[in-house]
């Protein structure tokens, strides 16, 4: 007569809900469980939900439009709960992915909880459907069968690491929020293998996605290095990758992001919020031209700039923490940091000019149209078009780094008007 709910990676916590004796059907129980989870978790938290009743997950994904939203309901006595659940799903900003129940670790525990549910207070979920009225056809992490299959495979492969799942979910949510398209886990993994990313940068993103960089709590158990668990710059703050890359006040971080954003702004395109998930999924952003067509050059530019910026922030942090042992007398200067940033991007552009050589690089070569689409929008707005084959001379890079009179010079001071960093942690 009840429902058991367990959360992955956490054996202790679980919930049980009791349904009234006249209310109980398998379908209704499963549905009530889903609705409960959707209502108690913050709307922006991405969720992976496994439900025992397959019909329920199908009705909430593939058949959502036909069965539930448009009222062609063959969902019987559960119709009202279905509508409330659909509304709760559609009102979320974090993605929801349904995964197969049998493959979920907490299954036995969930069954145990359900059996003990008679001792729980009766469940009366709120059946409000207001969100349906505001519905603008936002896609769910809604799945066609093919996509569902891909999602399931990827979810199983990575299920071993809790951090990986959390990072993956953050990445999917970041793309979903910025572009209203929800990539599958498979898309995220594929984007991390992109040949547009220079190998060390690609490895950095890969490790970021798996949470294998050694920060924070990792050091608590390492003798004589316990002090590395907290940020050596921000007194007593536990260091996490999010802190190191996006929140830390140590010199370097803010300037690099401001420079990156300023360079990007020349192309006149919006700069999405940069969160940890947005860095990992930087290869999945879509940009469109004025004519509505996809701008592949912008997507590639964003991918390269964001990944290189994050990686440079990380390298500079490591040099100060590890090589200079967090010595407050040995901070890099603003000038040095800016020089490193310019050198990093210049080197990447020069590497790209080499990659134009199809004879030498074969399938790894970049085509000229994409190359130009990637870099030419970084010249100052309104400046003359660059000479026909600018990539053959150094002039383009020189022009790109010259500041225009009146152009704000980033100082590294927090500037919350133009730089928005997501401070949520999942
Ligand atoms: Zn810090």
């Amino acid at each position: 007569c009840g429902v058991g709910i367990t959360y992955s990676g956490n054996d202790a916590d679980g919930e049980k809900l009791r349904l009234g004796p006249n209310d109980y059907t398998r379908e209704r129980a499963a549905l009530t469980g889903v609705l409960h989870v959707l209502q108690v978790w913050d709307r922006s938290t991405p969720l992976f939900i496994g439900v025992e009743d397959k019909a329920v997950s199908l009705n909430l994904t593939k058949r959502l439009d036909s069965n539930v939203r448009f009222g062609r309901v063959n969902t019987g006595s559960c119709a009202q709960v279905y509508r409330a659940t659909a509304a709760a799903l559609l009102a979320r900003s974090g993605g929801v992915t349904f995964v197969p129940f049998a493959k979920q670790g907490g299954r036995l525990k969930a069954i145990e909880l359900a059996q003990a549910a008679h001792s729980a207070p009766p469940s009366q979920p709120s059946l409000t459907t207001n969100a349906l009225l505001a519905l603008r056809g936002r896609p769910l992490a809604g799945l066609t069968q093919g996509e569902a299959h891909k999602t399931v495979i990827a979810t199983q492969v990575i299920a071993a690491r809790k951090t990986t799942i959390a990072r993956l979910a953050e990445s999917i949510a970041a793309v979903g929020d910025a572009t209203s398209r929800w990539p599958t886990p498979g898309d995220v993994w594929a984007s991390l293998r992109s040949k547009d990313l220079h190998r060390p940068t690609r490895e950095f993103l890969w490790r970021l996605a798996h949470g294998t960089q050694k920060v924070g709590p990792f050091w608590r158990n390492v003798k004589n290095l316990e002090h590395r668990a907290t940020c050596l710059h921000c007194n007593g703050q536990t260091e996490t990758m999010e802190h190191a890359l996006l929140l830390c006040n140590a010199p370097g971080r803010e300037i690099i992001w401001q420079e990156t954003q300023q360079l990007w702004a020349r192309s006149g395109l919006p700069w999405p919020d940069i969160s940890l998930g947005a860095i990992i999924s930087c290869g999945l952003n879509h940009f469109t031209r004025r004519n509505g067509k996809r701008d592949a050059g912008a997507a590639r530019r964003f991918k390269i700039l964001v990944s290189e910026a994050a990686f440079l922030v990380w390298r500079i942090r490591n040099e100060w923490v590890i090589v200079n042992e967090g010595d407050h007398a040995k901070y890099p200067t603003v000038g040095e940091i800016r020089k490193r940033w310019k050198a990093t991007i210049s080197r990447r552009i020069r590497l790209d000019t080499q990659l134009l050589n199809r004879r030498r690089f074969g399938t790894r070569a970049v085509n000229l149209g994409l190359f130009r689409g990637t870099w030419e929008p970084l010249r100052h707005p309104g400046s003359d078009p660059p000479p026909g084959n600018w990539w053959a001379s150094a002039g383009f890079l020189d022009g790109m780094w010259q500041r225009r009179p009146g152009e704000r010079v980033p100082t590294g001071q927090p500037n919350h008007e133009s730089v928005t960093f997501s401070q949520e942690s999942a």
Side-chain angles (χ1 to χ4, degrees):
C1 61
V3 188
I5 301 169
T6 53
Y7 298 104
S8 78
N10 196 341
D11 288 341
D13 283 0
E15 288 180 79
K16 46 194 179 200
L17 309 172
R18 179 158 71 91
L19 298 183
N22 300 327
D23 284 344
Y24 185 84
T25 62
R26 260 173 76 92
E27 189 179 20
R28 191 179 184 114
L31 194 56
T32 307
V34 174
L35 179 57
H36 177 79
V37 169
L38 295 174
Q39 287 177 342
V40 297
W41 282 79
D42 185 86
R43 289 201 324 191
S44 62
T45 310
L47 298 172
F48 291 81
I49 302 178
V51 195
E52 190 178 22
D53 191 318
K54 243 188 199 161
V56 167
S57 51
L58 269 176
N59 279 332
L60 292 174
T61 52
K62 262 182 83 176
R63 299 186 201 139
L64 183 69
D65 278 348
S66 54
N67 283 2
V68 182
R69 258 165 75 183
F70 299 137
R72 273 175 252 135
V73 179
N74 56 9
T75 42
S77 63
C78 295
Q80 205 189 359
V81 196
Y82 264 115
R83 274 195 293 272
T85 310
L89 272 172
L90 295 161
R92 295 188 73 81
S93 59
V96 177
T97 309
F98 285 90
V99 295
F101 181 68
K103 304 289 192 290
Q104 295 287 301
R107 178 163 189 258
L108 289 178
K109 173 90 180 164
I111 294 171
E112 214 173 274
L113 281 166
Q115 283 164 349
H118 56 81
S119 64
S123 157
Q124 281 165 332
S126 145
L127 295 182
T128 170
T129 50
N130 288 344
L132 271 184
L133 302 173
L135 207 162
R136 290 183 300 269
R138 174 163 192 162
L140 282 180
L143 305 171
T144 66
Q145 202 162 22
E147 285 169 337
H149 185 66
K150 247 178 20 189
T151 308
V152 167
I153 301 283
T155 311
Q156 284 168 358
V157 172
I158 49 93
R161 288 184 59 90
K162 205 175 150 193
T163 319
T164 307
I165 295 178
R167 296 269 164 94
L168 184 62
E170 287 169 43
S171 312
I172 290 172
V175 179
D177 281 347
T179 66
S180 300
R181 298 171 191 220
W182 295 84
T184 65
D187 296 335
V188 176
W189 298 130
S191 79
L192 291 173
R193 290 193 293 271
S194 165
K195 63 179 183 169
D196 296 330
L197 300 168
H198 191 33
R199 203 175 61 198
T201 317
R202 198 164 59 208
E203 280 165 10
F204 163 76
L205 283 192
W206 183 264
R207 299 189 59 194
L208 187 61
H210 287 285
T212 55
Q213 275 108 349
K214 296 187 176 82
V215 284
F218 171 87
W219 294 107
R220 293 224 174 95
N221 304 317
V222 183
K223 216 177 158 204
N224 297 330
L225 291 172
E226 297 90 345
H227 59 279
R228 286 196 189 162
T230 49
C231 175
L232 299 182
H233 177 80
C234 311
N235 247 335
Q237 286 264 3
T238 299
E239 182 144 60
T240 59
M241 284 310 281
E242 189 176 40
H243 180 85
L245 298 179
L246 297 168
L247 304 171
C248 186
N249 286 320
R253 186 192 64 70
E254 196 108 40
I255 302 168
I256 290 169
W257 286 115
Q258 286 174 357
E259 287 280 354
T260 310
Q261 192 188 358
Q262 199 176 72
L263 198 58
W264 173 261
R266 292 184 192 168
S267 55
L269 290 164
W271 175 252
D273 282 355
I274 299 293
S275 59
L276 213 52
I279 295 172
I280 295 167
S281 63
C282 64
L284 290 171
N285 268 46
H286 290 262
F287 298 93
T288 42
R289 298 173 197 282
R290 286 219 181 80
N291 62 14
K293 287 205 173 131
R294 241 187 98 199
D295 189 341
R300 186 165 182 268
R301 180 165 66 246
F302 184 79
K303 170 171 26 175
I304 294 173
L305 290 181
V306 169
S307 59
E308 292 293 344
F311 189 30
L312 182 61
V313 170
W314 179 238
R315 291 199 313 270
I316 288 178
R317 175 260 177 211
N318 286 347
E319 285 161 21
W320 183 69
V321 170
I322 298 164
V323 183
N324 292 328
E325 296 177 324
D327 185 340
H328 288 243
K330 291 183 181 167
Y331 283 122
T333 67
V334 170
E336 281 162 8
I337 293 162
R338 185 169 290 133
K339 223 165 117 187
R340 295 268 307 265
W341 162 238
K342 288 180 184 178
T344 301
I345 298 306
S346 297
R347 206 179 307 125
R348 184 61 188 80
I349 297 178
R350 270 189 238 109
L351 178 73
D352 234 21
T353 62
Q354 291 169 19
L355 286 171
L356 287 170
N357 188 333
R358 193 161 292 279
R359 237 181 317 158
R360 195 168 143 206
F361 290 100
T363 52
R364 277 180 56 221
V366 54
N367 90 43
L368 185 59
L370 185 58
F371 170 88
R372 295 182 59 182
T374 307
W375 303 116
E376 289 184 7
L378 290 186
R379 65 186 201 274
H380 288 285
S383 59
D384 296 334
N389 57 343
W390 57 262
W391 47 93
S393 69
F396 176 79
L397 287 179
D398 292 345
M400 192 176 90
W401 294 125
Q402 266 159 27
R403 282 188 208 283
R404 284 289 175 83
E407 199 173 18
R408 188 174 55 84
V409 178
T411 56
Q413 294 307 309
N415 182 344
H416 293 291
E417 274 161 39
S418 58
V419 187
T420 324
F421 295 116
S422 165
Q423 305 212 357
E424 279 168 39
S425 56

